[in-house]
Amino acid sequence: MKFLLLLPLGALLGFLPSAHAQTTPVTQKAPATIVTAQFKTSAVCDMCKARLEKSLAYEKGVQSASLDVPTKVLTVTYRADKTTPAALRTAVQKTGYDADELTADARAYNRLPDCCKKTNAVH
């Protein structure tokens, strides 16, 4: 009978926070470094702008991407601990556009609408 009376008391003490106090060290993370890079692209129209900006939005670490169509310069703001300029150039390539000295992936380029291709650009 005494056991039945002590059982709820033991269970209650087992759930008290002080009974299981475990400390975990708190570590401070260094703030992420936000960097901006610019790439010269082969984009020629507003469809290119939308396609590139949307494509880069899915890249890990990218905060924002903006293409200036008249100058063909893509400005990307990203977290330096998540990606690199080389990875971003590759992403631009795989979307079907040139990125600085790297030429567009042929397969991706062939899937672009005619208005977005360098040879057929009328803009």
Side-chain angles (χ1 to χ4, degrees):
M1 185 72 165
K2 288 182 182 178
F3 175 74
L4 292 176
L5 291 175
L6 292 177
L7 185 62
L9 182 61
L12 180 62
L13 290 175
F15 289 116
L16 290 176
S18 61
H20 290 286
Q22 294 179 356
T23 59
T24 55
V26 177
T27 57
Q28 295 289 332
K29 284 188 174 181
T33 305
I34 305 297
V35 183
T36 300
Q38 292 187 323
F39 309 108
K40 184 74 172 173
T41 68
S42 57
V44 293
C45 66
D46 287 336
M47 285 178 63
C48 298
K49 176 180 173 67
R51 182 174 287 103
L52 274 170
E53 290 174 358
K54 182 178 180 180
S55 173
L56 284 170
Y58 289 105
E59 289 297 312
K60 187 175 184 176
V62 172
Q63 304 287 313
S64 68
S66 177
L67 176 70
D68 182 44
V69 177
T71 62
K72 301 182 180 185
V73 173
L74 178 67
T75 304
V76 183
T77 303
Y78 63 95
R79 288 182 49 177
D81 61 330
K82 299 285 184 183
T83 191
T84 63
L88 296 172
R89 279 189 201 91
T90 301
V92 171
Q93 265 188 303
K94 290 182 178 180
T95 307
Y97 299 94
D98 297 347
D100 292 336
E101 69 282 347
L102 302 176
T103 57
D105 176 70
R107 241 176 144 175
Y109 178 78
N110 289 333
R111 287 192 303 259
L112 292 176
D114 286 339
C115 68
C116 294
K117 295 182 178 177
K118 297 180 276 189
T119 56
N120 298 331
V122 203
H123 302 280

